[in-house]
Amino acid sequence: HRRRVHNALRYAQQYNGSVLDYGCGAGAFISALAAQRASRRIYGYEPFMSDDYRATATYSGPPVYKEWSQVAECAPFGLVTLWETIEHLYPAELDEFLERCQQVLAPNHGRVLISAPIEIGPAVLVKTAYRWMAGCYEPLTLSELLRAGLFGVPSSPAASCKWSHKGFDFRRTIEALQMKNWEVKILGY
């Protein structure tokens, strides 16, 4: 996870202009980015932020907004990041995300940087073992785990993608983005 954060920060540094982290949670990524380059305008969007978040949080990083209208007022953005969030979006929410990106990205040079988990291949074996030890059980059967881990066949999706990575296949997400006429460039695994 730390390596992914490091790589995402390195990639984000390559883009000029302001940055929006879509679904930023508590703002860890944008805070780390702001610490590297304080001269940039950096914002977060977190629609599930509680109303009293700003009053009780000890967070002192870039602004985090709950309402999309507030984010849109800060546009245009040279970069929109979606950090470990795409696996929790239903198809309609992915469409909404892409539409919003089109609204706020700087014309002709705005980019979207997405980091997604790999839940197939040997990585899923290690991740599942860690999750089980940490008490974050993913409801995979042994058969699903072996097919995903050894043969790259994703398990069936969880009933809700909001709290699970089960069944997420980044390859399908890439195909979905390409079908919507988004150019995809894989920067790393």
Side-chain angles (χ1 to χ4, degrees), residues 127-143:
K127 288 178 178 184
T128 301
Y130 175 79
R131 288 173 184 146
W132 283 344
M133 289 186 295
C136 303
Y137 174 71
E138 287 281 351
L140 292 170
T141 66
L142 181 58
S143 173

Side-chain angles (χ1 to χ4, degrees), residues 97-166:
F97 165 72
L98 295 172
E99 288 170 15
R100 287 178 168 181
C101 285
Q102 288 176 328
Q103 292 171 4
V104 300
L105 281 171
N108 302 320
H109 68 274
R111 299 286 185 260
V112 178
L113 177 64
I114 298 172
S115 175
I118 296 178
E119 296 295 325
I120 55 171
V124 77
L125 299 172
V126 175
K127 288 178 178 184
T128 301
Y130 175 79
R131 288 173 184 146
W132 283 344
M133 289 186 295
C136 303
Y137 174 71
E138 287 281 351
L140 292 170
T141 66
L142 181 58
S143 173
E144 287 177 320
L145 179 61
L146 292 176
R147 284 188 8 244
L150 300 177
F151 303 108
V153 177
S155 65
S156 58
S160 171
C161 66
K162 295 301 178 188
W163 314 112
S164 176
H165 291 148
K166 183 178 185 255

Side-chain angles (χ1 to χ4, degrees), residues 4 15 33 63 83 87 102 119 157 166 168 177 184 186:
R4 240 189 275 175
Y15 297 97
L33 186 59
W83 174 253
E87 69 274 17
Q102 288 176 328
E119 296 295 325
K166 183 178 185 255
F168 177 74
L177 292 170
V184 175
I186 298 172

